[in-house]
């Protein structure tokens, strides 16, 4: 495993939410940082309390621990987010004046995983909430998914349907109680109830049935992860061919039997956000082969709501826990809706009568370069903000088309919606409009400008055009790197490398292998992959063999070309030019026999990366100036000579790294920003980062927002700054 060595001096940003304002927190942070000889600043912003400290990495980790252990007694930290930044060379520690917009701080938190106190009560037969699936307190429970309007008070949540009993009311009104002003406070006498029993649901699971469970952010489909027939049935009914499923483990201990889990990964699993963490599976376990297919990871979470705790306590084996929807549709949230939409998928339903206001999928996180990186930002993170190094106009950013998210800019914070999904269906477009409405209402926000993708046919672009607001069209790949630069606090000029599968270029071609010299929102395209034609246009996104055929046509001529598209290529009909690195991955995956098509976005590239496994080599194919000609020749020659696929895959990845080094050396900009879906490839990202860092470059990769199109809205928002 190549984890880049951390430079001696670093900068750590910690964003804290909860009761951290007005309790002497800033002076405390100041004292602690100065005592530890760290530099940086602390400020109150609409995103919460933001701290940036700079110093030796071990000191920063120590600071983070002490911040938690020694913080003021009256403070309650409900959410914390970390981001590792490059050192800035600040000379002292300061308390900065608050953002002018900090008055707008809204108390809408993400949904929080069950706290230790509540979990203990849940399993305590003496407690009045023993085995009550909806227990919560000020430190935990649903938030974003139950709030209807602001201010965040019980009458403005879906808990308004339940009248507090005297005992719950006493807790709610007593400042000394853990449930003081816990808006969803409830007990078996006065709160929400299950419709059905946990025992029946577990019995159904044991029988191999598919159970639809009403969770926190919507319905989940559960099935025994050890039962390949049951998993196959779920795949068929959900129309999800090979995309890996996430698992819920009964506990961290059981998770350890199935996966290698590092201390940093334990921290993520047990965090308040309780996301799906992508872990390395142990060999030879009883997890069915068709749960994750050829993925090198298992997506794992541990119980994060009382209902999940009770269910997993009863059912001691790993379950698939996947969104309750058919592929491409948003997750179902209402009981009547679920019974209709999931009728043909689920055999058994376990529902309850606490309404969910908005759908929120489980978030996905993975360690890359030794840091947590969010790959899908939803439950547990939405609607939190990302602090950015510039003050924004009131901008609404509507994102891209795939993996859509939307965002609003409030001063120096960008608030991001939960992952909405691909805007392919009417339902998804409805969820998109609702997310815009939600963000604006929850933050009392009135947009004055709307930022959208340059692509003329995206549903999000159409919405923006009809909004009646001044429109800013942002080029897709520029938005990718702008997002990464902003979340990493990059100041001044940098080299932005933006690689993905598809995005509308300034020249109308499909881009996806781009290098920009960038500063603020000034971008110059300084290099790109040599262009090639996609026979059949969009069809090539799913059918990677089309990209392969096109490259073979160029390199070896018509005789060697797949006859299905040869006439098209010969006559240049319906052939769309592209510079996409994602499509180059598809082509190499096809030529090596790894994958002929993508059954989900990025599948062929993922399979090709997996081929490398633990193989390590410095050898690389030629890719001079991004010209794939010599590379394709070499791949074909290797294939004919019987070179193994893992070695071909490694040489291909290394060629991309070498090309990055070439361009970086030529452009002579110290700061390098890597973004776009291709950089979900951990081998490529870690290897490129390590190679660049060893040559003195400072490398920035995504942490708080995804490198894929889920990060586009952040980039659009920051590019609205003139
Ligand atoms: Zn609690
Ligand atoms: Zn009660
Ligand atoms: Fe993209």
């Amino acid at each position: 495993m190549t984890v880049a060595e951390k430079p001696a001096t670093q900068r750590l940003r910690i964003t804290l939410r909860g009761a951290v304002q007005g309790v002497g927190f800033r002076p405390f942070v100041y004292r602690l940082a100065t005592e530890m000889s760290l530099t940086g600043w602390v400020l109150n912003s609409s995103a919460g309390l933001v701290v940036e400290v700079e110093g030796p990495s071990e000191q920063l980790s120590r600071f983070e621990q002490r911040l938690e252990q020694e913080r003021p007694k009256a403070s309650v930290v409900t959410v914390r987010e970390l981001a590792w930044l490059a050192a800035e060379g600040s000379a002292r520690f300061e308390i900065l004046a608050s953002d002018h917009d900090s008055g707008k701080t809204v108390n809408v938190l993400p949904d929080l995983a069950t706290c230790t106190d509540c979990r203990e009560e849940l399993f305590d037969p003496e407690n009045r909430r023993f085995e009550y699936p909806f227990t919560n307190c000020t430190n935990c429970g649903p938030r974003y998914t139950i709030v209807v309007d602001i201010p965040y008070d019980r009458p403005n949540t879906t808990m308004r349907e339940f009248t507090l009993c005297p005992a719950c009311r006493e807790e709610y009104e007593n400042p000394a109680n853990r449930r003081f002003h816990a808006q969803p406070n409830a007990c078996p006498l006065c709160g929400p109830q299950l419709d059905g029993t946990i025992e029946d649901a577990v019995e159904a699971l044991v029988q191999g049935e598919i159970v639809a469970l009403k969770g926190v952010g919507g319905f989940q489909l559960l099935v025994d992860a050890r039962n390949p027939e049951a998993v196959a049935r779920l795949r068929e009914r959900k129309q999800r061919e090979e995309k890996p499923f996430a698992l819920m483990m009964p506990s961290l201990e059981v998770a350890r039997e199935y996966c290698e889990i590092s201390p940093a990964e334990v921290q993520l699993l047990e965090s308040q956000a309780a996301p799906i963490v992508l872990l390395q599976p142990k060999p030879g376990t009883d997890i069915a082969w068709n749960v994750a297919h050829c993925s090198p990871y298992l997506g794992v979470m541990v119980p994060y709501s009382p209902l999940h705790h009770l269910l997993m306590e009863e059912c001691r084996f790993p379950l698939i826990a996947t969104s309750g929807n058919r592929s491409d549709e948003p997750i179902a949230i209402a009981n009547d809706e679920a019974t209709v939409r999931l009728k043909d998928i689920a055999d058994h339903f376990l529902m309850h009568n606490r309404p969910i206001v908005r759908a929120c999928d489980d978030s996905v996180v993975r360690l890359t370069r030794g840091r947590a990186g969010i790959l899908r930002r939803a439950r547990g993170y939405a609607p939190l903000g990302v602090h950015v190094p510039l003050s924004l106009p009131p901008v609404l950013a509507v994102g891209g088309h795939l993996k859509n998210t939307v965002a609003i800019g409030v001063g120096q914070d960008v608030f991001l919606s939960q992952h909405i999904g691909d805007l392919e269906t009417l339902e998804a477009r409805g969820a998109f409009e609702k997310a815009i409405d939600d963000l604006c209402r929850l933050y009392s926000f009135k947009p004055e400008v709307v930022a959208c993708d340059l692509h003329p046919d995206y549903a999000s672009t159409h919405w923006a055009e009809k909004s009646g607001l001044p429109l800013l069209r942002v080029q897709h790949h520029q938005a990718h790197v702008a997002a990464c630069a902003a979340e990493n606090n990059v100041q001044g000029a940098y080299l932005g490398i933006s690689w993905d599968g598809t995005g509308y270029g300034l020249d109308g071609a499909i881009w996806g292998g781009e290098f920009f010299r960038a500063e603020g929102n000034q971008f110059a395209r300084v290099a790109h992959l040599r262009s090639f034609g996609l026979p059949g246009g969009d069809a090539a996104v799913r059918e990677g063999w089309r990209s392969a055929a096109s490259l073979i046509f160029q390199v070896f001529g018509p005789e060697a070309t797949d006859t299905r598209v040869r006439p098209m290529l010969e006559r240049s009909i319906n052939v769309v030019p592209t510079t996409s690195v994602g499509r180059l991955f598809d082509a190499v995956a096809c030529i090596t026999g790894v994958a002929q098509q993508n059954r989900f976005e990025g599948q062929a590239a993922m399979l090709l990366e997996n081929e490398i496994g633990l193989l390590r080599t410095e050898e690389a194919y030629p890719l001079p100036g991004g010209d794939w000609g010599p590379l394709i020749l070499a791949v074909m020659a290797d294939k004919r000579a019987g070179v193994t696929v893992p070695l071909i895959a490694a040489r291909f990845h290394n060629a991309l790294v070498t090309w990055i080094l070439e361009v970086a050396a030529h452009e002579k900009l110290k700061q390098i920003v890597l973004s776009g879906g291709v950089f979900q490839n951990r081998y490529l990202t870690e290897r490129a980062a390590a190679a660049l860092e060893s040559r003195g470059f400072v490398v920035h990769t995504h942490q708080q927002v995804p490198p894929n199109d889920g990060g586009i809205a952040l980039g659009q928002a920051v590019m609205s700054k003139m």
Side-chain angles (χ1 to χ4, degrees):
M1 193 96 331
T2 56
V3 171
E5 234 175 85
K6 284 184 187 154
T9 300
Q10 279 199 300
R11 196 173 175 94
L12 176 64
R13 182 197 295 148
I14 309 173
T15 310
L16 302 172
R17 288 291 301 260
V20 288
Q21 284 148 337
V23 289
F25 216 103
R26 284 179 299 167
F28 155 70
V29 172
Y30 178 84
R31 281 194 304 274
L32 185 62
T34 36
E35 182 199 315
M36 295 180 72
S37 310
L38 299 171
T39 62
W41 49 254
V42 55
L43 70 79
N44 266 327
S45 88
S46 359
L49 190 91
V50 188
V51 185
E52 285 193 11
V53 278
E54 189 166 320
S57 339
E58 320 79 66
Q59 277 288 90
L60 298 182
S61 304
R62 183 83 197 103
F63 174 86
E64 188 219 328
Q65 287 166 7
R66 289 189 59 185
L67 191 71
E68 176 53 29
Q69 290 157 1
E70 300 169 25
R71 65 186 161 77
K73 291 252 177 318
S75 66
V76 181
V77 174
T78 33
V79 180
R80 56 167 57 211
E81 264 197 283
L82 304 184
W84 291 91
L85 310 171
E88 287 179 6
S90 44
R92 58 204 153 91
F93 194 88
E94 325 169 64
I95 298 181
L96 296 186
S98 298
D99 280 12
H100 54 91
D101 275 315
S102 63
K104 281 191 187 162
T105 303
V106 181
N107 238 346
V108 181
L109 287 174
D111 303 294
L112 307 168
T114 310
C115 73
T116 350
D117 291 335
C118 285
R119 198 174 58 214
E120 270 171 29
E121 290 176 356
L122 188 63
F123 293 110
D124 173 8
E126 303 298 308
N127 194 281
R128 70 187 188 96
R129 290 190 178 83
F130 177 57
E131 294 189 343
Y132 179 56
F134 303 97
T135 182
N136 64 84
C137 73
T138 320
N139 301 321
C140 74
R143 298 286 187 275
Y144 184 52
T145 53
I146 59 163
V147 62
V148 181
D149 210 342
I150 52 163
Y152 176 63
D153 272 330
R154 191 165 172 114
N156 282 334
T157 71
T158 60
M159 287 302 291
R160 63 187 165 199
E161 298 173 18
F162 304 92
T163 309
L164 289 164
C165 70
C168 286
R169 173 155 299 281
E170 141 68 27
E171 295 166 337
Y172 183 84
E173 288 172 351
N174 176 3
N177 195 283
R178 201 175 89 239
R179 294 188 166 89
F180 176 57
H181 282 188
Q183 306 305 343
N185 190 26
C187 79
L189 285 179
C190 68
Q193 302 294 335
L194 278 185
D195 178 9
T197 69
I198 287 175
E199 290 72 25
D200 287 349
V202 172
E203 180 54 27
L205 290 165
V206 170
Q207 298 303 326
E209 291 187 349
I210 298 167
V211 172
L213 174 81
K214 188 177 185 183
V216 172
F219 276 78
Q220 288 174 316
L221 293 166
L222 309 177
V223 82
D224 182 350
R226 307 164 306 170
N227 182 336
E229 292 84 40
V231 177
R233 214 174 308 126
L234 177 61
R235 286 202 175 275
E236 194 191 311
R237 294 189 194 166
K238 204 175 135 85
Q239 294 163 24
R240 174 153 150 159
E241 296 167 287
E242 291 178 7
K243 195 172 173 188
F245 282 126
L247 302 179
M248 182 167 279
M249 293 286 182
S251 63
L252 185 63
E253 292 65 47
V254 177
R256 283 187 200 283
E257 295 169 19
Y258 288 93
C259 300
E260 304 291 346
I261 314 180
S262 71
E265 288 163 338
V266 170
Q267 231 185 355
L268 285 171
L269 286 168
E270 296 193 321
S271 67
Q272 301 100 327
I276 295 166
V277 183
L278 299 187
L279 302 171
Q280 194 195 327
K282 287 185 176 169
T285 68
D286 56 3
I287 297 290
W289 64 275
N290 48 359
V291 167
H293 277 277
C294 299
S295 168
Y297 304 106
L298 270 184
V300 167
M301 48 191 162
V302 292
Y304 56 79
S305 78
L307 179 53
H308 287 111
H309 278 291
L310 293 169
L311 181 90
M312 297 313 290
E313 182 71 15
E314 187 77 22
C315 153
R316 300 298 302 164
F317 53 85
L319 294 179
I320 284 181
T322 185
S323 312
N325 58 4
R326 219 176 282 281
S327 290
D328 297 334
E329 285 177 10
I331 178 168
I333 54 174
N335 294 4
D336 47 358
E337 173 203 6
T339 40
V340 174
R341 280 178 53 201
L342 304 179
K343 173 168 58 84
D344 301 327
I345 304 181
D347 302 302
H348 185 99
F349 285 81
L350 182 53
M351 307 198 277
H352 58 74
N353 60 348
R354 187 178 73 200
I356 299 170
V357 181
R358 59 189 62 79
C360 228
D361 289 86
D362 292 312
S363 296
V364 181
V365 179
R366 186 186 62 187
L367 286 188
T368 305
R369 300 173 72 207
R371 304 162 175 180
I374 295 180
L375 298 176
R376 180 166 77 193
R377 196 176 165 99
R379 180 190 52 76
Y381 299 100
L384 287 184
V386 173
H387 195 71
V388 296
L390 66 178
S391 198
L392 299 173
V395 58
L396 164 67
V398 295
H401 184 72
L402 299 175
K403 300 185 167 67
N404 180 274
T405 57
V406 298
I408 56 172
V410 180
Q412 280 196 250
D413 296 300
V414 178
F415 294 97
L416 299 152
S417 76
Q418 68 278 27
H419 162 88
I420 296 162
D422 303 348
L423 302 183
E424 293 285 344
T425 59
L426 262 182
E427 287 87 350
R429 291 198 279 273
F432 161 82
E433 289 181 11
K434 183 164 159 48
I436 292 174
D437 203 56
D438 276 347
L439 274 185
C440 291
R441 203 148 32 84
L442 295 179
Y443 288 95
S444 309
F445 178 80
K446 260 191 120 49
E448 287 172 16
V449 54
V450 56
C452 67
D453 198 275
L454 192 63
H455 200 300
D457 300 327
Y458 281 0
S460 52
T461 306
H462 289 164
W463 186 93
E465 285 166 346
K466 283 187 218 136
S467 69
L469 290 162
L471 200 60
L472 177 76
R473 297 177 198 266
V474 179
Q475 201 279 320
H476 188 92
H477 302 92
Q478 297 180 358
H480 269 309
V481 289
C484 187
E487 68 156 304
N488 283 289
N489 231 346
V490 175
Q491 317 270 353
Y494 64 89
L495 177 67
I497 305 177
S498 198
W499 289 359
D500 64 3
T502 192
Y504 195 80
L506 290 172
D507 57 2
I510 297 172
W511 287 9
E514 317 306 313
F515 292 82
F516 301 103
R517 273 186 90 93
E519 182 163 8
N521 49 16
Q522 299 302 309
F523 283 79
R525 189 189 191 204
V526 292
H528 59 79
L529 189 72
R530 177 183 161 196
S531 179
F532 64 98
L534 291 178
D538 276 350
V541 172
R542 194 173 162 94
E543 299 176 2
W545 61 267
R546 289 172 183 264
S547 297
S550 171
L551 296 179
I552 286 169
F553 177 81
Q554 294 291 332
V555 176
F556 298 97
E559 295 307 314
T561 305
D562 194 311
T563 49
R564 287 175 287 181
V565 289
R566 187 174 141 185
M568 250 190 237
L569 288 162
E570 279 176 328
R571 277 176 272 152
S572 256
I573 294 165
N574 195 14
V575 176
V576 183
T578 187
T579 54
S580 163
V581 170
R583 298 289 84 85
L584 182 64
F585 264 94
D586 289 351
V588 175
C590 174
I591 293 170
T592 48
V594 169
Q596 303 305 306
Q597 53 176 311
N598 286 307
R599 291 197 168 82
F600 56 89
E601 198 201 3
Q603 184 190 25
M606 188 193 85
L607 294 174
L608 196 62
E609 177 191 0
N610 297 350
E611 284 294 336
I612 303 172
L614 296 175
L615 178 80
R616 287 298 172 265
T617 173
E618 295 305 314
E619 297 162 10
Y621 292 127
L623 184 61
D627 179 3
W628 37 259
L631 179 137
I632 294 298
L633 270 172
V635 172
M636 289 297 272
D638 270 2
K639 208 189 152 227
R640 280 198 209 100
V643 174
T644 65
V645 175
L647 191 52
I648 296 180
R651 287 173 177 168
F652 169 66
H653 281 74
N654 295 350
L656 294 167
V657 173
T658 310
W659 181 33
I660 288 176
L661 292 175
E662 241 176 64
V663 179
H666 185 262
E667 295 302 326
K668 299 189 178 64
L669 290 166
K670 193 176 167 65
Q671 307 200 79
I672 315 281
V673 169
L674 306 179
S675 187
V678 167
F679 290 103
Q680 291 173 106
N681 184 315
R682 185 151 88 174
Y683 177 93
L684 178 70
T685 305
E686 293 187 338
R687 222 165 143 108
L692 287 162
E693 283 172 342
S694 72
R695 285 161 180 78
F697 294 100
V698 178
V699 182
H700 304 280
T701 49
H702 284 285
Q703 300 174 73
Q704 290 179 275
V705 301
N708 60 46
D709 287 3
I712 287 286
L714 172 61
Q716 292 172 344
V718 295
M719 282 183 68
S720 68
K721 176 75 180 175
M722 286 305 153

